[in-house]
Amino acid sequence: MEETNREAVATAVQRVAGMLQRSDQLDKVEQYRRREARKKASVEARLKAAIQSQLDGVRTGLCQLHNALGDVKDIQNSLADVSKDWRQSINTIENLKDVKDAVVQHSQLASAVENLKNIFSVPEIVADTQVLIEQAELLEAHRKLMDLECSRDDLMYEQYRMDSKNTHDMNLIRNYFGEVQGLSDDLAKQLWMVLQRAMGTVRRDPTMLVSVVRVIEREEKIDRRMLDRKKQTGFIPPGRPKSWKEKMFEVLEGTVTTRIEGSQSVTREADKMWMVRLLEITRKYVLDDLIVVKNLMVQCFPPHYNTFDRFFKLYHNAVSMRVQELAAEDLEANEIVSLLTWVLNTYKSEEMMSHPELLTEYDINLMDPLLPQEVVDELLSKYLQTFTSNITSWLRKALETDKKDWFKETEPEADQDGYYQTTLPAIVFQMFEQNLQVAAQINETFKEQVLKLCLKQMNSFLVRYREEAIAYKEDHLRDRQLPQCYVQYMIAIINNCHTFKESINSLKKKYFKSTEPTQNDAAIEKTLNDVAKDGCQFLLDEVFLDLEHHLNELLTRKWLTGTHAVDTICVTVEDYFNDFAKIKKPFNTEMTSEAHRRVVVEYIKAVMQKRITFKNADERREGADRMIKEAEQFKFLFRKLTAGEETDRLCDAIAAIAEVFKLTDPTLLYLEVSTLVSKYPDIREEHIVALLAMRGDASRDMKQMIMETLNQNKPTYAGITQPIFKDITVPTVTMTSMSSSMAATANKLLK
């Protein structure tokens, strides 16, 4: 306490020191004193109020404890009195056992008297109830049945209360009311029959369905009451609980299942389109039934049944079971597509479960899928396997059919632009188109898988197509008279390659979202180009087989003296190219360029073969003039065939060689040969030797000097787009004879 006082004094001193730090504050000492006095008075008043409140609470608590103590003593005394009275009344209670038995017996007799009318009229009520059941008076029949069951149950309950182990009396009551259980079963059968025909009943007589639901609801209430009494007494009447509500839903589920399973009207053997018909009938049944449920049946059931949701799920589960059964069968490819299209698209579309009248009631997307994903994947895999096998067979048959047309005596058909073609591309891509349209009905991913598979099979097919075209050419070479329309059908084969390309691009554009090339694109492109290139080569071979005799006449003595070989060559080429005009671009253009090159090459080959050696300047001049003239003829021909495109370079090679022959001054021969080499740098040494040998007047020293100089200044020809001399070989015999000639010349010089 003293320490507290010291702390208070120290605090007060510190506060006073803080107030009186300046001399002018001494004037306010009295003011400070009054303010502190007021604060002190306020604190003391609050302390007094708090202490007074605490004291009042303690006083009240002590008073309540005192009263509670008195109450406890009173209760203790009362319990002692009760205990005393209970001990005194034990003997009295035992003496009242007879009264208790009398009360139970009185209760039983009262129950018997209450049900006496029903007890004596049981046979009559049973008969009346049976008639009502047969007449479908369900509510009245059920009322009488309830009266009978109520009488039986009350009597059995009273017997159970009196003596639960007395089975004899229990059996006596049960046997007396034995026909009641039969009535209950008959009534139940009638109810289930109505529920099995619920879809028709609700349209024709909805009150009948309402009566069934009311009967079932009554039974549900009785079941609940009996179960509650069982919990209290342990007694349950026979046949309870009936659980008719649960049975009702089982019957409805069976009805829905039977309706879905009964929708198959035909089999595969009777109708190839059985799957489509089955699924369409199922769609119609389900949609019609659910609309009936929404518009009519919902009104016949209590709201807490959630009737529409329940039927929606029942139909969904029934359809799911049915399509899983169908998926487990050995389905064909078209049946798999029909089933998956229906399951993945039609089922959830506005045509069925997302119909506007149903969409407001339930969202089909909340339900599990009809088919598990693994089953869908298995069906898709099976379809792809079957499709691969089928398409291979279809393509083989299409090619065999097209091959038969190649040997016809009539020309192939022409398109609207006059180009020859066969029906093969149209057949193939119609086949692809149909399968892709079917695949597109399933989903985008599967459609692209089928497209890739089509392209893969297309690549294999084109390889076989090329092999058959080669075999077709070889058959023709054995007898060039057959087939009669060989040229026309080979043109059609070439044009088909162009059609194939266009059709493939069209399919990819239509059915493939990605613009990136597939793994088969390059192979298909290469094979198609190879087929077209082979076809063009075969046709040119045909041309040059006819020109062979005339080409052999070039640069011979007969040619020098006058022949119409080049005229015949030009006429023949032009005649063939009238037919080749029915080849589509770019193959037509490429073929014309190749024919031009081959004509020039064959002409120059004739030069290199040294079929003639000019004896004097007149022969050289005459031969050179003829060569220049014939080069002009070739130019004119190929300008005509190429519609005026530049064709001079190839033919100028003939004129350039002619200038070498035409030169009269041998000392200028090197310059002329150099000009030739500069224009055509792919020319080789043996070509120059052959030209000089054919000229016939070049000395050994001149030849050696020309060759050495050309070798020192040999130009490059890597960038030449159209080499001429590269593929021209000089015959060995020619080279040997030229070597011998040069040796003989050397010997003369030595002598």
Side-chain angles (χ1 to χ4, degrees):
M1 189 68 178
E2 293 178 358
E3 185 178 354
T4 304
N5 290 334
R6 286 197 297 271
E7 290 178 358
V9 170
T11 303
V13 170
Q14 187 178 0
R15 289 191 63 189
V16 170
M19 294 177 185
L20 302 176
Q21 290 180 356
R22 299 189 307 274
S23 60
D24 61 333
Q25 290 178 329
L26 293 174
D27 297 337
K28 299 180 181 180
V29 169
E30 185 63 26
Q31 181 180 350
Y32 291 154
R33 188 181 64 77
R34 287 195 301 271
R35 186 176 66 187
E36 292 300 323
R38 286 196 300 272
K39 287 183 179 180
K40 180 181 178 183
S42 175
V43 170
E44 288 176 350
R46 288 199 300 272
L47 285 173
K48 288 179 182 179
I51 292 171
Q52 184 63 40
S53 176
Q54 292 291 333
L55 290 174
D56 291 343
V58 170
R59 187 181 297 108
T60 303
L62 290 172
C63 182
Q64 290 177 348
L65 286 173
H66 179 73
N67 293 335
L69 181 60
D71 292 341
V72 169
K73 289 180 180 180
D74 292 341
I75 292 170
Q76 191 174 16
N77 294 332
S78 298
L79 287 174
D81 294 340
V82 169
S83 178
K84 181 179 177 180
D85 293 341
W86 177 72
R87 289 189 187 94
Q88 292 176 355
S89 64
I90 289 176
N91 295 331
T92 305
I93 293 173
E94 291 178 355
N95 294 333
L96 292 175
K97 185 176 184 303
D98 294 338
V99 177
K100 178 182 177 182
D101 293 341
V103 169
V104 172
Q105 188 175 10
H106 179 272
S107 176
Q108 291 176 341
L109 292 173
S111 177
V113 170
E114 183 180 351
N115 293 289
L116 193 61
K117 180 181 179 181
N118 290 338
I119 291 172
F120 285 114
S121 59
V122 165
E124 181 183 351
I125 296 174
V126 167
D128 291 345
T129 305
Q130 188 67 47
V131 172
L132 290 172
I133 291 173
E134 292 174 356
Q135 293 176 351
E137 298 290 341
L138 302 181
L139 290 176
E140 184 64 23
H142 185 251
R143 186 185 64 78
K144 290 183 176 294
L145 176 63
M146 284 195 300
D147 291 342
L148 291 171
E149 289 181 337
C150 183
S151 299
R152 179 196 65 183
D153 297 346
D154 288 347
L155 290 172
M156 294 183 73
Y157 176 63
E158 295 300 333
Q159 177 61 37
Y160 179 84
R161 287 177 58 195
M162 185 176 69
D163 186 2
S164 61
K165 296 181 181 179
N166 188 350
T167 57
H168 178 270
D169 290 347
M170 282 287 196
N171 290 333
L172 183 64
I173 298 173
R174 183 182 291 110
N175 292 335
Y176 185 77
F177 287 91
E179 295 182 355
V180 174
Q181 185 61 41
L183 287 177
S184 178
D185 294 340
D186 291 342
L187 179 61
K189 291 179 182 178
Q190 191 72 18
L191 298 179
W192 310 148
M193 188 180 301
V194 173
L195 289 172
Q196 288 170 355
R197 303 169 181 172
M199 289 300 166
T201 302
V202 77
R203 291 183 177 97
R204 184 179 62 257
D205 186 9
T207 56
M208 177 67 73
L209 188 58
V210 173
S211 298
V212 170
V213 176
R214 289 180 62 186
V215 169
I216 292 172
E217 278 293 293
R218 288 176 184 174
E219 288 295 337
E220 281 295 301
K221 291 179 181 178
I222 298 173
D223 279 349
R224 288 194 294 270
R225 190 168 67 248
M226 293 298 106
L227 289 173
D228 290 341
R229 188 166 69 177
K230 180 183 178 183
K231 293 178 182 178
Q232 297 173 1
T233 65
F235 173 75
I236 186 79
R240 292 289 177 185
K242 293 184 179 180
S243 302
W244 278 6
K245 182 178 179 181
E246 182 179 344
K247 178 64 177 176
M248 173 185 70
F249 291 131
E250 292 178 2
V251 171
L252 290 175
E253 182 177 359
T255 301
V256 171
T257 302
T258 302
R259 186 156 174 79
I260 297 302
E261 291 179 349
S263 59
Q264 182 169 345
S265 58
V266 293
T267 61
R268 179 186 293 134
E269 291 73 18
D271 188 352
K272 291 294 183 181
M273 299 297 290
W274 70 278
M275 177 68 77
V276 175
R277 296 183 185 278
L278 166 61
L279 296 174
E280 177 58 22
I281 292 172
T282 302
R283 183 198 69 79
K284 189 175 185 303
Y285 279 2
V286 172
L287 180 59
D288 291 348
D289 289 357
L290 287 176
I291 291 176
V292 169
V293 170
K294 178 198 170 189
N295 296 330
L296 299 176
M297 195 172 292
V298 169
Q299 303 171 16
C300 300
F301 289 83
H304 65 272
Y305 276 35
N306 296 322
T307 306
F308 184 83
D309 290 358
R310 189 178 294 274
F311 269 94
F312 197 92
K313 293 174 182 177
L314 287 177
Y315 274 96
H316 177 79
N317 294 335
V319 172
S320 178
M321 290 176 59
R322 182 57 179 147
V323 296
Q324 289 186 48
E325 291 174 0
L326 292 173
E329 296 184 12
D330 186 17
L331 299 178
E332 297 177 357
N334 62 320
E335 295 168 354
I336 291 174
V337 171
S338 298
L339 179 61
L340 289 178
T341 302
W342 193 87
V343 167
L344 299 177
N345 299 321
T346 305
Y347 184 73
K348 293 186 177 182
S349 70
E350 292 185 355
E351 298 178 8
M352 196 170 176
M353 304 304 270
S354 292
H355 190 277
E357 288 201 44
L358 307 181
L359 195 59
T360 57
E361 301 294 329
Y362 203 92
D363 186 0
I364 185 59
N365 295 315
L366 300 177
M367 303 295 291
D368 294 333
L370 286 181
L371 286 177
Q373 188 58 43
E374 56 269 20
V375 176
V376 174
D377 294 340
E378 183 179 347
L379 287 175
L380 291 177
S381 176
K382 182 179 179 181
Y383 174 82
L384 289 176
Q385 292 176 359
T386 306
F387 175 68
T388 302
S389 175
N390 289 345
I391 201 170
T392 302
S393 175
W394 293 336
L395 290 173
R396 183 175 61 253
K397 291 178 180 177
L399 182 55
E400 290 296 328
T401 302
D402 201 58
K403 276 174 55 183
K404 293 179 181 178
D405 292 343
W406 297 352
F407 293 90
K408 288 182 177 179
E409 296 181 359
T410 56
E411 293 183 355
E413 296 179 357
D415 64 10
Q416 58 186 4
D417 296 321
Y419 296 115
Y420 285 137
Q421 63 178 6
T422 67
T423 57
L424 182 63
I427 293 173
V428 169
F429 284 95
Q430 183 181 9
M431 186 192 317
F432 287 170
E433 180 82 23
Q434 290 173 352
N435 284 277
L436 286 168
Q437 288 176 355
V438 169
Q441 297 174 6
I442 297 177
N443 56 47
E444 288 294 322
T445 303
F446 183 64
K447 178 190 68 177
E448 293 185 0
Q449 285 181 331
V450 172
L451 176 57
K452 290 178 181 178
L453 182 57
C454 289
L455 294 178
K456 181 179 179 181
Q457 294 299 315
M458 185 67 190
N459 187 36
S460 302
F461 166 75
L462 290 175
V463 172
R464 293 194 299 272
Y465 190 53
R466 183 185 184 191
E467 293 171 353
E468 294 297 340
I470 294 173
Y472 182 56
K473 183 262 298 189
E474 292 174 350
D475 287 342
H476 172 69
L477 291 180
R478 294 188 187 97
D479 183 357
R480 293 189 62 212
Q481 301 300 317
L482 297 175
Q484 292 185 8
C485 298
Y486 167 78
V487 171
Q488 289 79 1
Y489 277 100
M490 189 59 73
I491 291 173
I493 291 173
I494 296 169
N495 289 337
N496 285 349
C497 294
H498 185 271
T499 306
F500 278 130
K501 285 185 180 181
E502 290 183 338
S503 300
I504 289 172
N505 291 333
S506 175
L507 281 183
K508 288 172 61 180
K509 184 177 180 180
K510 185 175 181 180
Y511 293 102
F512 201 62
K513 287 185 176 180
S514 175
T515 56
E516 296 181 1
T518 66
Q519 60 182 3
N520 294 299
D521 286 358
I524 291 175
E525 181 77 14
K526 181 180 181 303
T527 307
L528 284 173
N529 288 336
D530 289 344
V531 174
K533 184 177 179 181
D534 288 348
C536 292
Q537 192 65 40
F538 298 159
L539 291 176
L540 288 179
D541 290 344
E542 185 75 5
V543 175
F544 281 89
L545 282 174
D546 286 349
L547 297 179
E548 184 176 2
H549 172 71
H550 305 291
L551 291 172
N552 289 334
E553 290 184 2
L554 297 176
L555 279 299
T556 60
R557 282 291 167 186
K558 181 180 179 182
W559 167 80
L560 187 61
T561 57
T563 180
H564 299 290
V566 170
D567 295 336
T568 306
I569 290 171
C570 291
V571 170
T572 304
V573 169
E574 184 175 4
D575 182 57
Y576 268 104
F577 269 84
N578 286 333
D579 290 336
F580 297 165
K582 298 183 182 297
I583 299 176
K584 293 182 179 180
K585 292 182 179 181
F587 306 126
N588 182 303
T589 305
E590 293 172 357
M591 190 173 177
T592 305
S593 299
E594 180 61 18
H596 186 187
R597 192 190 72 83
R598 282 186 66 173
V599 166
V600 173
V601 167
E602 291 295 329
Y603 195 99
I604 297 176
K605 278 184 180 180
V607 175
M608 298 303 169
Q609 290 172 359
K610 200 191 172 186
R611 298 173 181 174
I612 185 176
T613 300
F614 297 122
K615 297 179 179 179
N616 51 50
D618 291 338
E619 285 189 355
R620 285 193 290 274
R621 185 181 66 257
E622 186 179 350
D625 290 341
R626 179 173 285 275
M627 289 175 67
I628 293 171
K629 176 185 175 184
E630 291 173 348
E632 290 298 325
Q633 285 182 266
F634 290 145
K635 283 183 183 180
F636 177 79
L637 170 65
F638 287 104
R639 282 175 185 165
K640 182 178 180 181
L641 295 180
T642 57
E645 293 183 11
E646 178 58 40
T647 60
D648 291 353
R649 184 179 180 278
L650 291 172
C651 294
D652 285 347
I654 299 174
I657 293 173
E659 292 297 332
V660 174
F661 295 152
K662 192 174 183 180
L663 188 66
T664 56
D665 186 357
T667 59
L668 300 177
L669 193 56
Y670 166 72
L671 295 176
E672 198 65 45
V673 173
S674 299
T675 302
L676 176 64
V677 173
S678 64
K679 288 182 179 179
Y680 304 94
D682 61 321
I683 195 168
R684 299 190 299 276
E685 181 179 341
E686 58 265 31
H687 297 142
I688 304 300
V689 172
L691 291 178
L692 295 177
M694 184 174 174
R695 180 178 168 85
D697 65 340
S699 65
R700 178 178 178 277
D701 292 339
M702 178 66 70
K703 293 177 183 178
Q704 186 174 356
M705 183 268 293
I706 292 173
M707 298 311 302
E708 289 177 353
T709 306
L710 290 176
N711 287 332
Q712 292 173 0
N713 304 294
K714 191 171 184 180
T716 179
Y717 62 94
I720 296 178
T721 57
Q722 203 173 19
I724 300 174
F725 293 90
K726 179 182 177 182
D727 299 327
I728 299 175
T729 58
V730 179
T732 305
V733 176
T734 304
M735 292 299 297
T736 303
S737 62
M738 285 189 291
S739 299
S740 300
S741 175
M742 291 176 69
T745 304
N747 290 332
K748 289 181 180 180
L749 291 172
L750 288 173
K751 291 179 180 179

